[in-house]
């Protein structure tokens, strides 16, 4: 049997319609055209909120402390006045799980909108593209500059672009590293060149990462490196909103005379102006159908809508639409896949809010001394323990320390303790067995610490008491 090798046409058989490669297909640099529109405004809003969150939480103070600070040395995580400890990492893990599930929900609802509107990779790429536009001009000027030989003009423009890119990257790296070391001190140390080697390394590392990712790699990160882009398409269903070209309305595409009855000439609404391709940050042609490279940013929708406005045609030739809607049906919102994700997400957020509200603001760990037991001056069997008590509140607190239902046990050590806000104290205590129950062997006992101002705030921890087996 003859094996057929699939062959792809490399040139158009119709000389009137030469094949046009998209920037992504051509493999060259992508020079996007600037544009305005509803979805661009929405993206600006998304970027503004992300900026507020990213830079604001590093620079704004809250209760006399940086609003968000991960103090690795003290093993404390401060967030808007609340302090979290390694014991609370379960809550931080829960936040990550909820965020991942929220992303799944958004993907089922509207495809890759997270990528297009709020992903830091996209947001920083848009900023870098804006800098490029400011320093090197709009699309046509940049293409010309690319092709031009090196000159003082080209060196100055390129230098300004890379200088500004590096400045944005440095400010970004500073904010990121500032989550782990107080940002004001860090800025001062950098300015006076007194920064430590490790901190300097991380600032340089994140500066380089931002510069390379948003300046040079750009859409390649979304297309080839991001694991989320690989699997999210399997989450789409026939009702997921994706950026789509309405081929039934747009074809046959082509230019037309101003007052001609283009429909009578067999033409659709697409005038083949390629504006949708020229604004695309990943350099694809949405008219070729849904592609892995599409980040759902809606730039092509804005571009096409403005063309439709100029022509007096209805908007929406390129739009967020579902496969079902494009096939002539109606998008189903109340579908099991979407409702199931929404219900699960609501349940997780509710459980998290409850766990956060019920989070104990007092912690007690008990460690029994590694020795077996000893006999004290009164001839009683005695065990030694170390109590690690943490005041997780933002106020100074006084605590009572006792044994729960002590029976024949007696606690020797301080019965009250004063702790400053966020203070950790290791407290050595001993417990003696007052009765002569030496034959009992290992027994259980429970330590309890109670906040004297709020007796409902208490925590109890079990441990073991060792005694001879005679
Ligand atoms: S095809 Fe449209 S929505 Fe997709 S990445 Fe390009 S401009 Fe954005
Ligand atoms: S912007 Fe609209 S009209 Fe122009 S090529 Fe794209 S789909 Fe066709």
């Amino acid at each position: 049997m003859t094996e057929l090798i699939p062959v792809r046409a490399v040139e158009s058989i119709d000389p009137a319609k030469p094949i046009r490669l998209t920037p992504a297909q051509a493999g060259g640099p992508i020079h996007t055209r600037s544009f305005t529109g509803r979805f661009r405004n929405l993206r600006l809003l998304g970027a503004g909120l992300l900026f507020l969150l990213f830079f604001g939480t590093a620079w704004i103070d809250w209760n006399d402390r940086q609003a968000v600070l991960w103090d690795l040395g003290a093993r404390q995580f401060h967030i808007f006045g609340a302090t979290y400890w390694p014991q609370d990492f379960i809550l931080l893990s829960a936040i990550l799980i909820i965020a991942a599930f929220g992303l799944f929900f958004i993907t089922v609802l509207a495809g890759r909108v997270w990528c297009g509107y709020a992903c830091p990779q996209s947001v920083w790429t848009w900023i870098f593209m804006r800098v490029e536009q400011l320093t090197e001009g709009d699309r046509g000027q940049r293409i010309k500059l690319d092709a031009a030989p090196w000159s003082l003009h080209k060196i100055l423009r390129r230098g300004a672009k890379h200088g500004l890119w590096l400045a944005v990257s440095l400010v970004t790296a500073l904010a990121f590293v500032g989550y782990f070391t107080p940002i004001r001190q860090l800025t001062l140390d950098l300015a006076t060149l007194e920064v430590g080697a490790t901190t300097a390394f991380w600032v340089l590392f994140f500066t380089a990462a931002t510069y390379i990712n948003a300046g040079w790699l750009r859409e390649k990160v979304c297309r080839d490196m991001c694991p989320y882009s690989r699997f999210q398409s399997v989450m789409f269903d026939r009702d997921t909103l994706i950026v789509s070209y309405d081929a039934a309305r747009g074809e046959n595409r082509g230019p037309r005379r101003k007052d001609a009855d283009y429909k009578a000439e067999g033409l659709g609404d697409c005038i083949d102006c390629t504006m949708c391709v020229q604004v695309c940050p990943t350099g694809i042609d949405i008219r070729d159908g849904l592609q892995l490279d599409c980040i759902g940013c809606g730039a092509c929708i804005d571009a096409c809508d403005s063309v439709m406005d100029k022509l007096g045609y209805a908007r929406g030739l390129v739009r967020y639409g579902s496969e079902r809607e494009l096939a002539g049906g109606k998008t189903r919102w109340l579908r099991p896949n979407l409702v199931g994700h929404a219900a699960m997400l609501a349940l997780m957020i509710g459980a998290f809010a409850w766990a956060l509200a019920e989070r104990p603001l007092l912690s007690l760990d008990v460690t029994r001394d590694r020795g077996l037991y000893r006999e004290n001056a009164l001839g009683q069997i005695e065990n030694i323990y170390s109590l690690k008590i943490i005041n997780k509140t933002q106020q100074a607190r006084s605590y009572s320390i006792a044994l729960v239902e002590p029976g024949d046990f007696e606690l020797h050590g301080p019965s009250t303790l004063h702790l400053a806000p966020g203070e950790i104290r290791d407290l050595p205590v001993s417990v003696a067995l007052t009765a002569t129950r030496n034959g009992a062997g290992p027994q259980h006992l429970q330590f309890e610490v109670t906040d004297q101002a709020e007796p409902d705030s208490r925590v109890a921890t079990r441990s073991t008491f060792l005694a001879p087996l005679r």
Side-chain angles (χ1 to χ4, degrees):
M1 202 165 113
T2 315
E3 194 186 341
L4 296 178
I5 300 169
V7 176
R8 210 168 61 113
V10 290
E11 60 183 43
S12 172
I13 50 170
D14 181 355
K17 289 185 180 170
I19 281 189
R20 237 184 340 223
L21 293 178
T22 63
Q25 288 164 341
I30 296 170
H31 291 294
T32 53
R33 180 182 284 277
S34 55
F35 64 99
T36 54
R38 295 175 287 166
F39 295 107
R40 190 198 75 138
N41 295 343
L42 200 60
R43 191 169 36 258
L44 283 178
L45 185 72
L49 290 176
L50 185 71
F51 267 41
L52 211 61
L53 198 71
F54 181 68
F55 291 108
T57 49
W59 281 100
I60 292 169
D61 278 358
W62 197 275
N63 285 356
D64 300 329
R65 189 188 275 133
Q66 195 171 309
V68 174
L69 179 65
W70 190 292
D71 188 343
L72 292 177
R75 305 213 300 162
Q76 296 176 1
F77 182 35
H78 306 287
I79 174 160
F80 293 107
T83 302
Y84 296 86
W85 309 77
Q87 296 91 327
D88 299 319
F89 273 20
I90 183 97
L91 288 174
L92 297 177
S93 316
I95 291 176
L96 292 181
I97 292 169
I98 290 172
F101 211 83
L103 201 54
F104 298 158
F105 168 71
I106 292 284
T107 306
V108 174
L109 176 70
R112 292 186 74 176
V113 283
W114 157 262
C115 306
Y117 290 82
C119 172
Q121 171 64 28
S122 296
V123 170
W124 261 256
T125 298
W126 289 110
I127 295 167
F128 274 48
M129 279 167 27
R130 181 79 182 126
V131 168
E132 202 164 48
Q133 194 198 339
L134 285 173
T135 50
E136 295 186 344
D138 208 346
R139 184 171 181 270
Q141 292 167 300
R142 293 202 304 274
I143 292 173
K144 250 195 215 161
L145 192 72
D146 255 6
W150 282 101
S151 62
L152 183 63
H153 170 79
K154 187 165 173 170
I155 291 171
L156 287 178
R157 285 187 175 265
R158 283 276 146 93
K161 177 177 84 171
H162 288 285
L164 279 172
W165 278 2
L166 282 168
V168 174
S169 304
L170 179 63
V171 172
T172 306
L174 206 58
F176 192 77
V177 177
Y179 283 121
F180 299 90
T181 178
I183 196 161
R184 286 183 176 77
Q185 189 59 46
L186 171 66
T187 312
L188 201 68
D189 290 349
L190 269 178
T192 53
L193 298 179
E194 283 175 10
V195 71
T198 311
T199 311
F201 167 79
W202 286 116
V203 171
L204 283 176
F205 176 83
F206 286 113
T207 302
T210 310
Y211 174 73
I212 293 169
N213 280 336
W216 293 90
L217 295 177
R218 294 191 176 177
E219 78 288 347
K220 293 174 195 72
V221 174
C222 313
R223 196 182 59 206
D224 306 323
M225 293 159 75
C226 174
Y228 176 53
S229 76
R230 297 277 126 194
F231 72 82
Q232 61 188 326
S233 52
V234 300
M235 301 173 76
F236 292 4
D237 58 30
R238 288 201 70 210
D239 296 286
T240 298
L241 295 180
I242 46 178
V243 177
S244 324
Y245 166 67
D246 189 343
R249 186 185 143 189
E251 300 298 320
N252 293 318
R253 68 185 74 162
R256 71 247 6 236
R257 279 169 288 115
K258 202 170 174 215
D259 300 319
D261 182 358
Y262 66 97
K263 289 210 167 131
E265 291 173 9
L267 290 171
D269 281 356
C270 176
I271 61 169
D272 205 15
C273 62
T274 73
M275 283 296 169
C276 50
V277 183
Q278 294 181 35
V279 297
C280 178
T282 62
I284 57 171
D285 188 341
I286 193 62
R287 296 173 300 169
D288 293 341
L290 179 64
Q291 293 149 74
L292 197 65
D293 309 35
C294 175
I295 57 168
C297 67
C300 51
I301 303 180
D302 280 338
C304 190
D305 277 351
S306 61
V307 174
M308 294 294 110
D309 288 350
K310 276 185 201 135
L311 293 168
Y313 298 172
R315 286 181 165 198
L317 176 57
V318 182
R319 62 177 180 270
Y320 283 106
S322 68
E323 203 186 321
R324 192 186 301 279
E325 185 235 307
L326 285 171
K330 275 192 100 179
T331 303
R332 289 185 311 145
W333 299 106
L334 290 177
R335 54 194 197 271
N337 193 8
L338 189 62
V339 173
H341 272 85
M344 196 63 192
L345 189 60
L347 207 68
M348 287 165 95
I349 292 173
F352 176 75
W354 177 82
L356 201 61
E358 294 296 311
R359 182 176 77 105
L361 294 174
L362 168 63
S363 162
L364 168 65
D365 280 331
V366 180
T367 313
R368 210 183 65 79
D369 189 78
R370 263 178 288 161
L372 275 178
Y373 50 81
R374 71 184 184 193
E375 210 169 292
N376 64 17
L378 299 172
Q380 297 166 332
I381 299 300
E382 196 175 62
N383 282 201
I384 308 293
Y385 300 86
S386 173
L387 309 185
K388 183 178 190 175
I389 302 167
I390 307 177
N391 171 12
K392 293 184 175 179
T393 71
Q394 302 299 311
Q395 301 86 32
R397 296 285 192 184
S398 297
Y399 299 105
S400 305
I401 302 158
L403 287 172
V404 179
E405 296 177 6
D408 295 331
F409 292 117
E410 199 170 79
L411 179 66
H412 295 160
S415 58
T416 58
L417 181 70
H418 304 284
L419 292 184
E423 187 182 348
I424 308 174
R425 184 82 62 84
D426 283 311
L427 194 70
V429 296
S430 65
V431 174
L433 185 59
T434 55
T436 50
R437 288 197 290 124
N438 291 352
Q443 294 158 63
H444 290 299
L445 44 71
Q446 216 173 0
F447 292 87
E448 185 178 63
V449 176
T450 308
D451 187 332
Q452 290 178 344
E454 291 177 30
D456 283 345
S457 175
R458 61 177 68 199
V459 58
T461 303
R462 285 166 72 93
S463 189
T464 310
F465 184 91
L466 291 187
L469 279 168
R470 359 179 208 99

